[in-house]
Amino acid sequence: MLVKLSDGYVRAAVCPPGSTQIEVPDDAAPGLALIVGTRAKTWFVRFRLHGKRHRYALGRYPAIGLAEARALAAAALLKVDRGEDPRAPVVSTVADAWDAFWAVKALTLKHPDHDLSCWRNHIEPHVGTLPLDSLSPLVIDTLQVKWAAAGLGPGQSRPLRLLTGLQGFLMDRDLIAKRFVPRRVARPAGRPLPVPPVAVVRALLAWCEGQGAPGAQLALLALLAARADMVQALRWDEVHDDHLSWSADRMKGARDFDQPLSTAAKAWLDRVPKVHPVYVFPARHGRTEAQIDLSKWTGKSPLAGYRTHDLRAAFATHTQEALGVSPSVIAATLDHSPASMLGVTSRYLKPGPRLM
């Protein structure tokens, strides 16, 4: 249904219950539409070029108001009338290309700050000023050397993914003719998976006794082999007498999972005061889950020098022999699919001293 949009209409527009988004075309500006989602409102202009239909994101409301959106839509359709693609940016350097790419990409991300930080820290300082026609696989080789020297190691998935997305954006708009990110990129081997020794885990659990909510979270990370975000967002309705019930949307493996609680883990949970009706570890304002930076607390603890994620390796290594936990149970606890249990579990299992 076409609607002659007004500032008041746009400001008050909401997504109906049960829907993820609605599209409201503007009767006063052909091609312009407002997409009203559950979290944001975004302006788009629809057009047909060379026989194909396209949709072009102009930006989000209220950063772009109704009058500006109509002006941008009119300018875009004027380019279409001249046979030009309005999405094609005027770019001369990689940084220019990124700005055009990011204006579209950021609209699709729930946490765009993560990718933007990666660009600013690991890509822009090295290639931002390069002209587009200088992009080649040699640039990727050079970047990987610089990333490895900076300690990025095998954690190059995010910058490579961003560059691959930028590459597709540029090729779709005929701004570059050839790929510069090879289809298969050799990534450097990382350090061996570290396993905190039994003594370190025991010292950590003792240290956690007097550290309040951060200590309880670190202790549960060691005893549950869960990911930090799962523990921080733990809800009381997920805690039962002898197990935790993780729903599929909380699991990396995308399946429901009932995790048995050890005596030690149950004891820690029993000591957590129920100060919030929903979250076991609520934020200070009480409306969301905890917002504690556990990495800072880890640096103060006996676990200093390790990451919280390394506790998963400790769980896999020490519990098989000491507690008689089978590899399949370890694999399930570590949230891996049944088809890959043996292969993935072997990645975590390392020789180590007994826990008991």
Side-chain angles (χ1 to χ4, degrees):
M1 178 180 66
L2 287 174
V3 176
K4 187 174 181 180
L5 298 180
S6 64
D7 290 327
Y9 183 98
V10 173
R11 184 169 53 251
V14 295
C15 186
S19 301
T20 57
Q21 66 176 34
I22 59 170
E23 179 173 339
V24 185
D26 182 13
D27 188 38
L32 178 64
L34 178 68
I35 304 295
V36 181
T38 56
R39 296 193 306 266
K41 302 174 186 178
T42 308
W43 297 105
F44 284 91
V45 60
R46 293 187 179 276
F47 63 95
R48 183 183 291 274
L49 185 64
H50 307 312
K52 295 183 179 179
R53 295 179 61 86
H54 302 278
R55 192 175 74 169
Y56 172 40
L58 300 174
R60 286 185 175 178
Y61 176 87
I64 295 179
L66 175 59
E68 184 180 358
R70 284 172 172 167
L72 291 173
L77 294 177
L78 183 61
K79 288 186 177 181
V80 172
D81 290 342
R82 295 198 298 259
E84 302 173 7
D85 190 336
R87 300 170 299 172
V90 178
V91 297
S92 59
T93 66
V94 175
D96 294 335
W98 169 266
D99 290 340
F101 166 67
W102 189 244
V104 177
K105 180 64 177 177
L107 299 176
T108 68
L109 301 175
K110 185 176 182 180
H111 300 292
D113 289 348
H114 298 171
D115 284 357
L116 186 57
S117 176
C118 179
W119 157 258
R120 289 173 175 170
N121 293 329
H122 302 302
I123 304 175
E124 184 180 25
H126 306 303
V127 300
T129 59
L130 292 180
L132 285 186
D133 57 10
S134 68
L135 288 175
S136 74
L138 291 177
V139 171
I140 302 300
D141 294 342
T142 302
L143 281 173
Q144 287 197 286
V145 171
K146 292 182 180 295
W147 293 339
L152 203 58
Q156 299 182 5
S157 297
R158 189 184 296 271
L160 285 172
R161 173 175 56 79
L162 289 178
L163 287 173
T164 301
L166 176 62
Q167 172 181 264
F169 175 84
L170 296 174
M171 293 188 73
D172 286 346
R173 288 155 179 76
D174 296 325
L175 294 172
I176 59 174
K178 296 181 180 179
R179 301 174 60 91
F180 60 89
V181 182
R183 294 184 185 276
R184 293 185 180 275
V185 182
R187 298 177 186 173
R191 63 185 173 121
L193 188 73
V195 182
V198 171
V200 169
V201 177
R202 283 178 173 157
L204 172 68
L205 292 174
W207 178 87
C208 288
E209 292 282 352
Q211 304 301 327
Q217 291 177 39
L218 284 174
L220 288 172
L221 287 176
L223 296 169
L224 297 175
R227 297 189 300 279
D229 61 331
M230 295 174 66
V231 170
Q232 289 201 314
L234 185 63
R235 303 190 302 265
W236 286 114
D237 61 2
E238 295 172 331
V239 180
H240 307 282
D241 289 338
D242 58 353
H243 71 280
L244 298 178
S245 58
W246 303 110
S247 58
D249 63 308
R250 302 267 275 122
M251 299 292 290
K252 188 171 66 176
R255 65 185 190 282
D256 294 337
F257 176 60
D258 289 340
Q259 178 174 349
L261 280 174
S262 67
T263 301
K266 184 73 171 82
W268 272 99
L269 283 169
D270 288 342
R271 279 185 286 175
V272 177
K274 193 169 184 179
V275 298
H276 193 272
V278 178
Y279 296 107
V280 177
F281 300 108
R284 288 185 179 180
H285 54 67
R287 292 190 295 274
T288 62
E289 68 271 16
Q291 305 293 324
I292 300 170
D293 184 356
L294 288 180
S295 63
K296 293 182 180 179
W297 288 85
T298 300
K300 305 175 185 177
S301 77
L303 199 64
Y306 295 93
R307 302 171 303 168
T308 55
H309 191 79
D310 296 339
L311 289 169
R312 291 163 67 81
F315 178 88
T317 299
H318 304 316
T319 55
Q320 184 180 20
E321 290 187 28
L323 302 180
V325 180
S326 69
S328 61
V329 172
I330 292 173
T333 301
L334 293 172
D335 183 24
H336 295 295
S337 65
S340 63
M341 280 181 182
L342 295 180
V344 177
T345 304
S346 65
R347 176 177 176 271
Y348 282 96
L349 290 176
K350 302 287 180 183
R354 288 178 174 271
L355 185 61
M356 297 177 64

